[in-house]
Amino acid sequence: DTGVSQDPRHKITKRGQNVTFRCDPISEHNRLYWYRQTLGQGPEFLTYFQNEAQLEKSRLLSDRFSAERPKGSFSTLEIQRTEQGDSAMYLCASSLNGGELFFGEGSRLTVL
Amino acid sequence: QKEVEQDPGPLSVPEGAIVSLNCTYSNSAFQYFMWYRQYSRKGPELLMYTYSSGNKEDGRFTAQVDKSSKYISLFIRDSQPSDSATYLCAMSKSGSARQLTFGSGTQLTVLP
């Protein structure tokens, strides 16, 4: 499978714990995006990388959130001190030079 | 008020019906318009991409953009049960899709 891969697919955690999600984009894609989708809503933009550089961050990305793409390949999204409001699907997408976005199947976070 | 408004449905139609899905937007800076399809527990996948006002057809799907009214539509002809999914409109201010703004999605069920 050469699509966008996300791991884990589902994470259940207790409030206050830290969680980390990983995204492996399509191999030749230089751009990588993180979106968040809550139930009954469309995805909301969080941040975007071109190669290893994080070029845009949404105001939704509070200081508890940090994203990295250290070698311009896979990316991680970490949420510290999780809150119940963080419960959502975290979607990763990749594109080649800003073309069509290909989304992964998402990582679902449940904060108890 | 959200920048992009979409009727959430749910919408239920018999197989073979013509389906009309719509979004309105408030920000005239949006120049590029997309429709995504999202099956349950999957990431969104791109269906249609349009730039200018007018119609664009692809098989059973027709995307329509009216920039003067800030209104976009997706028509599905001869709907099939396999079309049952959530349909999301999305917009961006540039062709290089750094940041997409999504509607909340319309859940469609096509009954056999």
Side-chain angles (χ1 to χ4, degrees), chain A residues 31 35 37 41 56 104-105, chain B residues 2 38 42 96 98 100:
Chain A
R31 295 192 182 183
Y35 281 77
Q37 186 175 24
Q41 299 298 316
E56 282 188 32
E105 296 193 341
Chain B
K2 292 184 178 180
Q38 186 173 27
K42 300 288 187 182
S96 176
R98 290 189 293 275
L100 297 181

Side-chain angles (χ1 to χ4, degrees), chain A residues 18-66:
Chain A
N18 299 343
V19 297
T20 299
F21 300 113
R22 176 181 169 122
C23 172
D24 287 273
I26 293 171
S27 59
E28 65 268 25
H29 284 184
N30 56 347
R31 295 192 182 183
L32 186 147
Y33 311 77
W34 285 99
Y35 281 77
R36 180 176 72 184
Q37 186 175 24
T38 54
L39 197 62
Q41 299 298 316
E44 296 174 292
F45 172 80
L46 292 179
T47 189
Y48 129 81
F49 292 84
Q50 178 157 308
N51 301 313
E52 66 277 7
Q54 188 174 18
L55 297 186
E56 282 188 32
K57 294 191 334 183
S58 162
R59 55 183 168 76
L60 294 175
L61 213 65
S62 76
D63 55 9
R64 296 186 298 106
F65 288 68
S66 62

Side-chain angles (χ1 to χ4, degrees), chain B:
Chain B
Q1 184 183 2
K2 292 184 178 180
E3 284 189 295
V4 180
E5 298 281 355
Q6 184 173 7
D7 185 344
L11 184 60
S12 184
V13 300
E15 184 175 354
I18 297 174
V19 176
S20 172
L21 305 167
N22 311 294
C23 287
T24 59
Y25 62 97
S26 56
N27 192 337
S28 58
F30 288 130
Q31 299 293 322
Y32 298 85
F33 305 91
M34 289 139 274
W35 286 95
Y36 283 81
R37 178 173 61 196
Q38 186 173 27
Y39 291 113
S40 180
R41 301 191 182 279
K42 300 288 187 182
E45 56 178 337
L46 182 66
L47 272 179
M48 301 285 285
Y49 176 95
T50 54
Y51 167 63
S52 58
S53 285
N55 293 353
K56 182 176 181 180
E57 192 172 317
D58 184 1
R60 296 184 295 110
F61 298 90
T62 300
Q64 194 172 79
V65 174
D66 182 348
K67 287 186 177 180
S68 62
S69 300
K70 298 190 180 66
Y71 187 88
I72 70 169
S73 300
L74 178 71
F75 298 95
I76 307 174
R77 290 185 300 281
D78 187 25
S79 55
Q80 302 295 309
S82 59
D83 295 328
S84 299
T86 295
Y87 289 80
L88 298 152
C89 62
M91 308 176 186
S92 70
K93 298 171 187 175
S94 73
S96 176
R98 290 189 293 275
Q99 181 176 149
L100 297 181
T101 301
F102 283 85
S104 56
T106 299
Q107 186 179 345
L108 171 68
T109 301
V110 181
L111 302 169

